[in-house]
Amino acid sequence: MALSIGIVGLPNVGKSTLFNALSAAGAQAANYPFCTIEPNVGVVPVPDDRLEKLTALVKPLKKIPTSLEFVDIAGLVRGASKGEGLGNQFLANIRQVDAVLHVLRCFEDDNITHVEGGVDPVRDRDVVDTELCLKDLETVEKRRERAQKNAKMGGKAGDEAKAELALLDRVKAGLDSGITVRGQKLTAEEHAAIRELFLLTDKPVLYVANISEKQIGKEDADPYVKAVREMAAKEGAGVVVLAAAMESEIQQLPEEERPGFLESAGLTEPGLHKVVREGYKLLGLQTYFTVGEQECRAWTIHKGDKAPQAAGVIHSDFERGFIKAEVMRWEDLIKYGSESAVKEKGLLRVEGKEYVVQDGDCMHFRFNV
């Protein structure tokens, strides 16, 4: 689906370390090639135990996970909205992604300079948000100028321009007060009305609290992590706590040594898995499966997609000529061991065009073109 998440943050917060760990995971963890589209773009598989279990049951020739694209965006500094540092590059790249993974430094290290002079993750968030708000103000101002001219017209066009101007004035007032667009509680219709502006602060955000290895297991009492969690809770945003440097080290180990390393560190799985899964949820995505002797495959769709749309992810002909979908739950397939056994239990359903696909459905489509 070509959906991407931009990794952002100030310089020296662990942003590139996290990206490098993610990219190594893409190359090694799931036998799924890390795809370098540009020097700073990588496609990473989404870890999914359900796909592993289905593959173990069916033993297909191929297993294909779903994936997400991560973009390592140049570090931002104060004044980026005016072109300071690599500001123009940062802002151009972030405009193109669908969501933001904001890395916040929560560790002390005298050997790694902090561009703001000391560790304060909430202040760092404010620096980035301020620069993004300033850039969004420029975009909104340009659109307001056009709306003001059109509002002088008569009839329907004039009325629409007046409504747009009123909305832009509200958004501008919020940005002037340092409130991101996503924090302004706009309705779905209002979001849709300004979607084509690609406002930077309208993108959903997930925070990564980057800690050191010695902080692992003490996160709940850590003042920096607590500050990030409290800040995110006020926004309604998610938080993943991980040690990016250690995650990068884990990816350098032979695969058979990783479980022991994780156990010794007091972890049940790499923190990267949480980042990818949370990023997937952040974009409002879910997974359905196709299961057969040739391949077991996970497919990405949006929550709320109906059966024809889900079929169209495989091929446009499937959507165009959709007739019906045979659907069973992945848990039932694992429990009863085969499609025929699921059918005998009356748990294989035939669904039509209005069926809303559920996360974890196993589907087989009938179509005719």
Side-chain angles (χ1 to χ4, degrees):
M1 298 179 73
L3 291 170
S4 61
I5 297 177
I7 304 176
V8 307
L10 299 179
N12 296 341
V13 297
K15 185 170 50 64
S16 292
T17 302
L18 176 61
F19 176 80
N20 290 337
L22 281 166
S23 64
Q28 301 167 17
N31 194 27
Y32 186 85
F34 167 57
C35 176
T36 304
I37 301 166
E38 295 175 6
N40 60 342
V41 179
V43 175
V44 179
V46 177
D48 196 323
D49 288 341
R50 300 171 300 179
L51 181 63
E52 301 302 323
K53 291 175 181 177
L54 290 169
T55 301
L57 174 69
V58 178
K59 297 181 175 59
L61 297 177
K62 289 192 295 183
K63 174 188 71 177
I64 305 177
T66 190
S67 60
L68 271 184
E69 182 178 282
F70 285 88
V71 183
D72 184 19
I73 294 173
L76 176 145
V77 294
R78 288 185 190 272
S81 59
K82 304 299 180 185
E84 290 294 325
L86 292 173
N88 290 330
Q89 178 185 340
F90 176 99
L91 296 165
N93 286 339
I94 196 174
R95 199 176 295 282
Q96 296 169 19
V97 301
D98 301 288
V100 170
L101 189 69
H102 192 157
V103 182
L104 297 167
R105 178 171 164 179
C106 294
F107 65 90
E108 302 275 1
D109 190 332
D110 293 338
N111 295 317
I112 303 176
T113 304
H114 195 296
V115 293
E116 289 290 322
V119 177
D120 184 341
V122 175
R123 177 210 55 213
D124 293 353
R125 186 283 310 261
D126 290 343
V127 170
V128 172
D129 276 1
T130 296
E131 295 303 324
L132 299 185
C133 283
L134 288 170
K135 200 65 180 179
D136 279 349
L137 269 171
E138 290 181 19
T139 303
V140 170
E141 283 284 12
K142 289 178 183 175
R143 185 60 170 251
R144 280 186 74 256
E145 290 174 9
R146 193 176 82 178
Q148 281 178 318
K149 292 178 183 177
N150 293 338
K152 297 174 183 177
M153 300 167 59
K156 184 180 178 181
D159 291 339
E160 289 177 347
K162 288 172 185 173
E164 180 186 23
L165 186 59
L167 174 58
L168 292 172
D169 283 342
R170 277 179 49 211
V171 172
K172 179 180 181 297
L175 290 168
D176 274 328
S177 300
I179 303 172
T180 62
V181 176
R182 64 177 170 270
Q184 293 185 29
K185 299 180 180 178
L186 302 181
T187 66
E189 292 76 14
E190 289 169 336
H191 274 293
I194 60 172
R195 184 172 294 133
E196 66 182 57
L197 297 181
F198 297 103
L199 297 176
L200 306 174
T201 64
D202 197 23
K203 298 178 186 296
V205 65
L206 170 68
Y207 293 105
V208 169
N210 185 19
I211 62 176
S212 65
E213 188 172 346
K214 64 183 179 183
Q215 291 168 276
I216 293 174
K218 306 170 187 173
E219 299 95 329
D220 290 344
D222 188 276
Y224 296 136
V225 174
K226 286 173 71 175
V228 171
R229 284 176 170 160
E230 289 171 5
M231 174 197 76
K234 290 177 184 176
E235 292 184 30
V239 177
V240 174
V241 182
L242 56 74
M246 191 187 75
E247 296 288 339
S248 187
E249 290 175 14
I250 291 171
Q251 299 310 320
Q252 306 304 317
L253 293 173
E255 197 162 341
E256 64 273 13
E257 294 180 18
R258 293 178 193 172
F261 186 94
L262 287 168
E263 187 177 351
S264 67
L267 300 172
T268 56
E269 67 172 350
L272 299 178
H273 288 191
K274 296 176 186 175
V275 170
V276 178
R277 283 198 300 266
E278 288 298 315
Y280 199 70
K281 285 196 289 186
L282 184 67
L283 290 166
L285 304 177
Q286 64 181 19
T287 301
Y288 78 86
F289 304 100
T290 52
V291 180
E293 294 180 357
Q294 292 299 311
E295 68 176 30
C296 282
R297 182 163 184 165
W299 299 90
T300 299
I301 58 172
H302 286 99
K303 292 178 182 176
D305 279 356
K306 295 181 178 179
Q309 294 170 287
V313 173
I314 298 176
H315 196 285
S316 58
D317 284 350
F318 281 35
E319 181 173 7
R320 187 159 52 91
F322 179 88
I323 299 173
K324 63 181 180 180
E326 295 177 358
V327 185
M328 57 184 164
R329 292 296 301 165
W330 77 272
E331 305 100 313
D332 292 334
L333 182 54
I334 294 297
K335 181 178 179 179
Y336 297 109
S338 69
E339 183 177 325
S340 58
V342 172
K343 191 172 184 178
E344 284 176 14
K345 294 291 182 179
L347 297 172
L348 181 69
R349 312 186 311 277
V350 176
E351 302 285 0
K353 293 182 178 180
E354 295 305 309
Y355 175 68
V356 178
V357 179
Q358 301 300 302
D359 186 52
D361 279 347
C362 292
M363 306 188 75
H364 180 66
F365 298 104
R366 304 290 183 188
F367 70 101
N368 183 35
V369 290

